[in-house]
Amino acid sequence: MEKQHQVVLSLGSNLGDRQLFIETAIALLHKKVGTVIKVSGLYETPPWGFDSLPFYNCALVIHTSKSAEKILSLALQIETEIGRVRSEEEGYQKRIIDIDVIAFDDQIVKTESLKIPHPHMHNRLFVLIPMRDLNLDWRHPILQKFLPELVLLAEDKSKCKFVKELKTPIADLDLQKLNYIAIEGNIGAGKTTLASKISEDFNAKMVLERFADNPFLPKFYEDQSRYAFPLEMSFLADRYQQLSDDLAQFDLFKDFIVADYHIFKSLIFAKVTLTDDEYRLYKTMFDIIHKEMPKPDLYVYLYQNTEQLLANIKHRGRSYEQQIPADYLDKINRGYLDYIKTQTDLNILIIDVSDKDFVENQEDYLFILEEIGKKIK
């Protein structure tokens, strides 16, 4: 999965219950556009360029895989949903809600409908002051200046009065209670994608399985009986080495660790692929290694039915995976579920994602986060 975009939005309202409209917009952006990971304080500011009631303004950071144009389209829909009616009159106008796309990573975007960075942001304190609250390591890609310098140089000298702190939608999830989360699932279930998103959204250290460099994997899919044992032994050794190293190294700048696999997957796959004699030898080695491995505080298993797994595998296009038979995926699914039934001392959460697309559909991703949040509580 490609890294998500970091998008900065500016929100304003000067009609009706200004705080309610802004908080409603934050909730809808979180639900429909991307994960709102930071929200500035709420500020009261005078209107810019026309006489009217003062505005409430804030800024926020969203993580999303959506394009800048799609974000703008969804923002306009949310404005309409909240009740904004755009007038045909020229010039600035009072409004229930206004959502502007200010920054999209460090990119420069110029289309008929969208210009990023916002062409007037560097001269508007009602944008710069809330955006400065977000503590971003962001530099204006055209002016090549950071936010503190932009604030000092802005032509606008109007008063921005702090009103109150605003709540970030993910604040109550508190995943930082956990030191180590393992996300598991069958081939193509989306475990790496989910681990990556959680890592980016919640400031976690990410541990991803190093399957791509394994020289036995393509050979295994061509001749399973010949290469199953060396494949499983190489995976076991590599997983043990990686987890031992990564879990032992505490990162002062990250809140917890999220991995897209758990060491026990070695035994599940080995039981499916190895002969009985090979499996007995393998399990002897596994038991020695497993005793030394720390257990995750939460073990999340993403279940997907075989039909959806095959569709996902085809979509991601790894050539050596395209001939994986359905019955092999069935056996892996059963292996995981049988293993889960035997684990009485592991904190396990099973989530059926067969009908979920948590990359394209933000609500599906939030569903998974809510399930994790309920499990923690």
Side-chain angles (χ1 to χ4, degrees):
M1 175 188 170
E2 295 183 359
K3 189 176 177 65
Q4 297 179 98
H5 300 295
Q6 178 176 278
V7 184
V8 179
L9 302 179
S10 176
L11 277 59
S13 172
N14 78 328
L15 284 178
D17 192 334
R18 297 170 293 174
Q19 180 179 331
L20 175 62
F21 291 139
I22 284 180
E23 290 176 337
T24 301
I26 293 170
L28 288 172
L29 288 164
H30 184 65
K31 179 180 178 181
K32 298 185 177 185
V33 179
T35 310
V36 177
I37 64 163
K38 289 183 180 180
V39 181
S40 75
L42 185 66
Y43 289 83
E44 187 173 64
T45 65
W48 176 273
F50 71 118
D51 292 326
S52 185
L53 297 171
F55 277 81
Y56 271 2
N57 291 99
C58 78
L60 55 84
V61 179
I62 279 183
H63 281 169
T64 180
S65 58
K66 293 178 173 59
S67 68
E69 290 282 356
K70 182 63 175 178
I71 294 167
L72 175 63
S73 174
L74 291 171
L76 293 175
Q77 292 176 28
I78 289 170
E79 287 182 349
T80 301
E81 184 174 344
I82 293 174
R84 179 172 180 177
V85 178
R86 294 183 177 273
S87 171
E88 298 296 328
E89 297 179 13
E90 294 186 2
Y92 297 106
Q93 302 163 15
K94 56 189 177 181
R95 64 212 72 170
I96 285 177
I97 190 67
D98 188 31
I99 304 172
D100 287 320
V101 183
I102 303 299
F104 187 82
D105 297 327
D106 57 357
Q107 296 184 30
I108 299 171
V109 178
K110 291 184 178 181
T111 69
E112 289 187 8
S113 59
L114 184 61
K115 291 179 175 56
I116 303 175
H118 194 286
H120 303 298
M121 66 159 294
H122 59 286
N123 278 323
R124 293 181 174 176
L125 288 184
F126 66 83
V127 174
L128 295 174
I129 297 295
M131 191 172 172
R132 188 178 61 181
D133 280 3
L134 302 173
N135 295 316
L136 302 175
D137 183 22
W138 182 83
R139 181 167 59 182
H140 196 294
I142 299 173
L143 302 177
Q144 292 298 300
K145 297 184 186 300
F146 290 96
L147 283 166
E149 191 174 2
L150 291 173
V151 171
L152 291 174
L153 295 174
E155 296 176 4
D156 178 16
K157 303 300 180 184
S158 58
K159 177 71 173 177
C160 292
K161 177 185 174 184
F162 178 81
V163 177
K164 63 175 294 183
E165 297 288 348
L166 292 174
K167 192 173 183 180
T168 306
I170 61 174
D172 291 338
L173 285 173
D174 203 14
L175 297 191
Q176 291 82 356
K177 286 181 178 179
L178 307 175
N179 294 317
Y180 168 28
I181 301 175
I183 297 174
E184 266 289 12
N186 208 330
I187 302 166
K191 50 191 177 292
T192 302
T193 299
L194 181 61
S196 300
K197 284 175 69 67
I198 288 176
S199 171
E200 293 173 14
D201 294 347
F202 293 90
N203 190 44
K205 177 181 178 180
M206 183 165 57
V207 179
L208 300 181
E209 186 176 16
R210 299 184 293 227
F211 65 87
D213 297 330
N214 193 306
F216 295 105
L217 191 56
K219 297 175 182 177
F220 167 76
Y221 287 126
E222 293 176 2
D223 190 346
Q224 291 191 17
S225 61
R226 181 178 178 183
Y227 290 103
F229 189 75
L231 174 71
E232 299 301 344
M233 287 301 297
S234 63
F235 267 140
L236 179 60
D238 193 50
R239 288 164 184 157
Y240 171 72
Q241 186 65 57
Q242 184 182 21
L243 288 175
S244 297
D245 292 344
D246 285 333
L247 296 180
Q249 296 173 2
F250 183 74
D251 191 331
L252 295 175
F253 300 99
K254 299 294 184 179
D255 294 324
F256 61 97
I257 291 172
V258 58
D260 72 341
Y261 70 100
H262 179 254
I263 192 69
F264 214 103
K265 79 176 298 177
S266 301
L267 204 59
I268 293 168
F269 277 78
K271 193 169 185 178
V272 173
T273 60
L274 300 182
T275 65
D276 291 343
D277 289 342
E278 289 174 333
Y279 179 73
R280 281 192 291 269
L281 175 57
Y282 182 89
K283 190 172 186 307
T284 300
M285 298 297 296
F286 175 85
D287 289 341
I288 295 171
I289 289 175
H290 185 242
K291 291 177 183 177
E292 300 182 23
M293 299 304 301
K295 292 180 180 178
D297 301 304
L298 180 64
Y299 178 102
V300 179
Y301 179 66
L302 302 179
Y303 173 81
Q304 280 203 355
N305 61 48
T306 301
E307 182 180 0
Q308 187 58 50
L309 290 171
L310 289 169
N312 294 347
I313 290 168
K314 182 178 181 180
H315 177 72
R316 70 184 183 187
R318 295 173 187 162
S319 58
Y320 57 83
E321 292 181 341
Q322 298 308 306
Q323 302 305 315
I324 295 177
D327 66 324
Y328 177 73
L329 297 175
D330 287 337
K331 290 176 183 177
I332 297 298
N333 261 345
R334 286 196 299 271
Y336 270 113
L337 296 174
D338 289 343
Y339 156 69
I340 288 170
K341 292 175 185 176
T342 67
Q343 301 305 299
T344 58
D345 60 346
L346 196 59
N347 188 23
I348 297 172
L349 171 64
I350 302 174
I351 306 177
D352 188 341
V353 293
S354 298
D355 61 348
K356 306 292 183 187
D357 183 348
F358 48 85
V359 175
E360 297 299 327
N361 191 331
Q362 175 68 4
E363 290 187 63
D364 287 347
Y365 175 56
L366 295 183
F367 166 78
I368 292 172
L369 293 184
E370 289 167 6
E371 292 297 300
I372 292 174
K374 287 188 286 186
K375 186 67 174 180
I376 294 173
K377 292 179 180 179

